[in-house]
Amino acid sequence: MGALAAAMLVLALLGAALAADPLPGGQDPTVSANPAPTAEQIQSLIARMVENQHRNDRAIVEYERVEHVVLHKDGENSEVVADRIERVLPSGTGTMRLQTAQSSPPVSAEVHRRQLQYAVTALDRFLHPSDHEKQDLAKFEKRRREHAELIGDAAKAFRITWGGRETRGSRTLAKLLLDPDPNFKPTSRLAATFEHVHAALWVDESQAQTERLEADITSDIAFGGGIVAKVYHGGHFVMEQSEVDPGVWLPTLYIYDVDGRKFLLGFGVHERTDVSHYRHLGPPSQSIEIIRSELNNLTVETPVR
């Protein structure tokens, strides 16, 4: 689901440049006083959005953040089965998750010290890799290549329709509607899922940044002919972004509401993740010094027994 969400965000940017159609008759923009952009203006906006999104994707690997994850039994208003707050640090090949003072139960000073030591050790291993770490890095790079290939497919998977402008809070955002292109021929298993998804994208035109994505699964997604797994229609996904540093927009909200089956066992993913407290740490060669300094300060305050 995470890979699908990331791909959908970028495919919206790439696909819109290929197929930006006017709003269908009978559907007036919410903000009717603002004229719709021309095809050339849309293409210019999309080109800026693509450039900005690539910059965001490169930037996020240098930022730490705090994630508040709430898991529900069935849906957003159902029983809460898990509620956790985690500090997320970039590791060079992914992320590391640490407990925080806001975790339940709150992390002790000793556990906090051990977690920081683990983070420093992990970053040092990335900077001075053994054969095992080199294999992890190769897997990470492979995932990035596969993601890039998926984006190439995604650019062809949807038809984009201009949906007008809407006021969300105090902001006026452009809206783009994404519908599967029946002529699209997927080249991978994940790319084949696009034909089951309809989505809407809200865009800050002045900044050329994506602010919100909503996607609905409109037909069952089968894996292995439906024998291995199936994601049922009716699933819903939301992602929001906001500016965390000048020119850098990163995710602040994920909502998954999906049910399905793996072999004979049913599963459900009903999860809300709020992301906050972004802080730029830089590449591993810089972030390790920041975390090491934090560890040293903590050790001085709470000496190891």
Side-chain angles (χ1 to χ4, degrees):
M1 289 299 300
L4 177 61
M8 286 191 61
L9 176 60
V10 182
L11 71 87
L13 307 181
L14 300 176
L18 304 175
D21 298 327
L23 190 69
Q27 298 184 33
D28 294 328
T30 301
V31 184
S32 58
N34 293 335
T38 64
E40 291 76 15
Q41 289 172 327
I42 293 177
Q43 290 179 358
S44 175
L45 172 64
I46 297 303
R48 292 165 56 213
M49 291 170 62
V50 170
E51 180 181 353
N52 288 338
Q53 191 59 47
H54 283 312
R55 185 183 301 114
N56 297 337
D57 291 341
R58 292 191 298 269
I60 196 171
V61 299
E62 295 188 356
Y63 279 80
E64 73 162 320
R65 59 219 184 247
V66 173
E67 293 186 356
H68 182 191
V69 182
V70 179
L71 303 178
H72 292 267
K73 184 176 182 180
D74 295 313
E76 189 171 0
N77 297 321
S78 66
E79 175 188 354
V80 174
V81 296
D83 187 335
R84 64 180 185 270
I85 299 176
E86 297 172 320
R87 180 183 179 186
V88 182
L89 296 175
S91 67
T93 57
T95 58
M96 301 174 283
R97 295 181 175 272
L98 284 63
Q99 294 174 278
T100 72
Q102 291 75 38
S103 299
S104 181
V107 63
S108 67
E110 176 58 22
V111 171
H112 186 198
R113 188 193 65 79
R114 289 201 302 265
Q115 289 183 139
L116 290 177
Q117 182 61 66
Y118 165 78
V120 169
T121 301
L123 289 167
D124 185 67
R125 287 176 177 171
F126 173 82
L127 295 171
H128 306 90
S130 65
D131 290 342
H132 178 73
E133 275 76 38
K134 290 178 180 178
Q135 292 176 3
D136 289 341
L137 180 58
K139 293 177 182 178
F140 177 71
E141 295 298 336
K142 181 175 182 290
R143 291 196 299 270
R144 296 183 66 178
R145 290 194 301 270
E146 291 173 345
H147 178 67
E149 293 170 0
L150 181 64
I151 292 173
D153 284 335
K156 311 168 189 175
F158 286 81
R159 291 179 175 175
I160 309 299
T161 302
W162 171 253
R165 294 182 177 91
E166 291 186 359
T167 300
R168 302 182 68 88
S170 61
R171 302 166 62 82
T172 298
L173 305 174
K175 184 178 181 180
L176 301 175
L177 306 176
L178 288 70
D179 297 296
D181 187 341
N183 299 317
F184 172 64
K185 304 297 182 184
T187 58
S188 68
R189 182 177 61 183
L190 187 55
T193 66
F194 292 143
E195 66 181 280
H196 305 279
V197 176
H198 293 252
L201 188 72
W202 285 264
V203 180
D204 183 315
E205 293 177 88
S206 64
Q207 300 249 12
Q209 295 277 10
T210 301
E211 186 160 309
R212 183 178 174 92
L213 168 70
E214 292 186 9
D216 291 292
I217 300 173
T218 55
S219 56
D220 291 353
I221 304 174
F223 297 91
I227 298 175
V228 175
K230 180 177 286 188
V231 177
Y232 300 141
H233 70 277
H236 185 67
F237 170 78
V238 175
M239 180 172 67
E240 292 184 353
Q241 294 191 140
S242 64
E243 190 171 33
V244 301
D245 268 331
V248 178
W249 287 52
L250 298 178
T252 55
L253 174 68
Y254 296 99
I255 297 175
Y256 297 96
D257 192 6
V258 179
D259 291 289
R261 170 181 55 78
K262 185 175 182 181
F263 294 106
L264 298 178
L265 299 177
F267 69 85
V269 181
H270 307 284
E271 176 180 314
R272 178 189 176 102
T273 301
D274 290 276
V275 191
S276 61
H277 295 83
Y278 277 99
R279 182 172 67 140
H280 184 248
L281 298 181
S285 59
Q286 296 179 21
S287 63
I288 190 173
E289 297 305 325
I290 295 174
I291 304 303
R292 181 178 285 129
S293 176
E294 184 178 344
L295 172 63
N296 292 338
N297 291 337
L298 182 67
T299 302
V300 169
E301 295 172 2
T302 56
V304 181
R305 295 179 180 178

